[in-house]
């Protein structure tokens, strides 16, 4: 019973993370109106998130800033190889192919997580996981829209790279959590992601965009809110969830994100709900329910 309760709490945390991630479109579209490109929005998001995570760690457990030098490659992998890599790949894929196709390739992540979990953690494969995986992926395909046009070999590799990088966080995060607290893991992950983002975001141009705006105070506050809602809360919740749930299971539950994004598109941006999208939402919810049946 204790184990089941622990896993249930972990599942709820991951669902919470997916819901917050699903709201990202609201903030990205708003920041885009100020003239920021997608990579600059990524940089703003991860930089402010790194500062907020560092502040949380300072208050929660300042001793958590101490990490072993031999674990530095692990955090470099989390920051560069996962967070920054998957984001850059995803936004690059968006420019190379239809958005729906890019989203489908991103949400191959549960497949990669499951394969890596079997390889590295020797997690057991069972019929329930396979059924849930199939339902979740089919749901993502229907929610994102079925589109196979405009794919080049390079675009396919970049799109799959986003899914692999996205899934890598669950694998490397699980390893890091064996030794460090979730607060330490998220703080150093975003510190390294922020450092990497400043190399590729054209920082001078980004700073000029800030300085040219007429409502700088509002923009700064909105950027902080963006980091809090789309990065700090969801990544902390997801990392806390990884302490309680298997990586492969967490990856499947997190596919609730495109469902939430679709619902927000309908409510906030008056986007139409198609029969296929509605069916996809039901499949994703079914996958989450199947994984959490006792």
């Amino acid at each position: 019973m204790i184990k089941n309760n622990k896993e249930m709490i972990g599942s709820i945390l991951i669902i919470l993370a997916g819901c917050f991630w699903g709201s990202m479109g609201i903030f990205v579209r708003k920041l885009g109106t100020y003239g920021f490109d997608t990579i600059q929005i990524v940089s703003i998001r991860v930089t402010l998130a790194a500062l907020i995570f560092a502040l949380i760690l300072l208050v929660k457990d300042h001793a958590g800033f101490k990490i072993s030098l031999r674990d530095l490659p692990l955090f470099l992998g989390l920051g560069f190889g996962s967070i920054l890599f998957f984001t850059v790949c995803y936004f690059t894929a968006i420019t190379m192919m239809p958005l729906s196709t890019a989203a489908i390739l991103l949400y191959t992540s549960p497949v990669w997580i499951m394969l890596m979990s079997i390889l590295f953690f020797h997690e057991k494969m069972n019929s329930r996981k396979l059924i849930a995986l199939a339902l979740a992926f089919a749901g993502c395909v229907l929610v994102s829209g079925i589109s196979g046009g405009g794919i080049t070999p390079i675009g396919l590799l970049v799109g799959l790279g986003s899914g692999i990088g996205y899934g890598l966080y669950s694998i490397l995060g699980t390893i890091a959590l064996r030794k460090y607290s979730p607060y330490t893991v998220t703080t150093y992950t975003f510190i390294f992601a922020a450092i990497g983002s400043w190399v590729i975001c054209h920082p001078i141009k980004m700073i000029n965009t800030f300085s040219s705006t007429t409502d700088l105070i509002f923009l700064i506050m909105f950027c902080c809110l963006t980091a809090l809602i789309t990065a700090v809360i969801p990544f902390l919740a997801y990392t806390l969830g990884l302490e309680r749930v298997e990586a492969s299971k967490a990856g499947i539950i997190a596919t609730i994100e495109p469902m939430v994004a679709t619902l927000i598109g309908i409510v906030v941006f008056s986007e139409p709900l198609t029969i296929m999208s509605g069916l996809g939402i039901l499949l994703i919810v079914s996958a989450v329910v199947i994984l959490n049946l006792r």
Side-chain angles (χ1 to χ4, degrees):
M1 179 64 71
I2 294 176
K3 181 180 179 182
N4 284 335
N5 287 337
K6 181 180 178 181
E7 289 183 354
M8 184 60 66
I9 292 172
S11 298
I12 291 171
L13 287 169
I14 293 166
I15 290 171
L16 179 66
C19 291
F20 276 94
W21 277 326
S23 70
M24 198 181 306
I26 298 173
F27 298 92
V28 172
R29 289 188 180 185
K30 179 64 176 179
L31 288 175
T33 63
Y34 285 90
F36 297 110
D37 61 34
T38 52
I39 302 301
Q40 289 169 348
I41 293 172
V42 170
S43 183
I44 292 169
R45 176 174 171 257
V46 298
T47 300
L48 290 175
L51 293 173
I52 296 172
F53 275 127
L55 181 61
I56 293 173
L57 183 60
L58 183 65
V59 174
K60 190 78 176 177
D61 178 22
H62 60 84
F65 282 103
K66 185 178 180 181
I67 61 173
S68 172
L69 286 177
R70 62 183 176 184
D71 291 325
L72 200 57
L74 177 60
F75 289 105
L76 285 170
L78 279 164
F80 295 157
S82 177
I83 300 301
L84 188 60
F85 175 74
F86 106 73
T87 307
V88 170
C89 281
Y90 182 51
F91 283 119
T92 302
I94 289 173
T95 65
M96 299 178 70
M97 66 187 71
L99 177 59
S100 57
T101 307
I104 292 169
L105 293 175
L106 173 64
Y107 281 96
T108 60
S109 58
V111 178
W112 305 115
I113 293 172
M114 190 167 289
L115 292 175
M116 287 187 282
S117 296
I118 294 171
L119 180 63
F120 296 115
F121 303 144
H122 307 292
E123 287 187 7
K124 294 180 179 179
M125 178 60 65
N126 55 46
S127 57
R128 186 168 63 170
K129 284 184 181 179
L130 284 173
I131 293 171
L133 179 62
L135 288 173
F137 184 69
C140 288
V141 171
L142 293 176
V143 166
S144 300
I146 302 174
S147 172
I151 302 179
T152 63
I154 295 176
L156 179 62
L157 290 175
V158 171
L160 290 174
S162 68
I164 294 171
Y166 191 28
L168 196 60
Y169 184 83
S170 295
I171 302 302
L172 296 180
T174 299
I175 296 172
L177 286 169
R178 293 172 178 173
K179 188 173 181 180
Y180 300 99
S181 74
Y183 304 98
T184 298
V185 172
T186 49
T187 297
Y188 277 100
T189 294
F190 275 85
I191 286 175
F192 286 120
I195 292 171
S197 72
W198 278 83
V199 176
I200 60 176
C201 75
H202 304 292
I204 295 177
K205 181 181 177 183
M206 184 171 66
I207 292 171
N208 289 336
T209 303
F210 272 104
S211 61
S212 63
T213 185
T214 56
D215 51 350
L216 181 60
I217 294 178
F218 172 81
L219 178 57
I220 292 174
M221 291 178 62
F222 189 80
C223 287
C224 292
L225 185 64
T226 299
L228 187 66
I229 298 296
T230 70
V232 175
I233 294 176
F235 273 100
L236 188 56
Y238 189 81
T239 307
L240 287 167
L242 278 178
E243 283 190 313
R244 300 165 171 83
V245 175
E246 290 180 345
S248 58
K249 183 178 177 181
I252 297 172
I253 295 173
T255 57
I256 199 169
E257 177 187 345
M259 181 196 79
V260 174
T262 299
L263 293 175
I264 287 177
I266 295 167
V267 175
V268 179
F269 300 111
S270 301
E271 296 177 355
L273 175 65
T274 65
I275 295 176
M276 290 297 184
S277 294
L279 180 59
I281 289 172
L282 289 176
L283 291 178
I284 293 171
V285 172
S286 298
V288 175
V289 171
I290 287 173
L291 282 175
N292 287 284
L293 288 176
R294 296 189 180 184

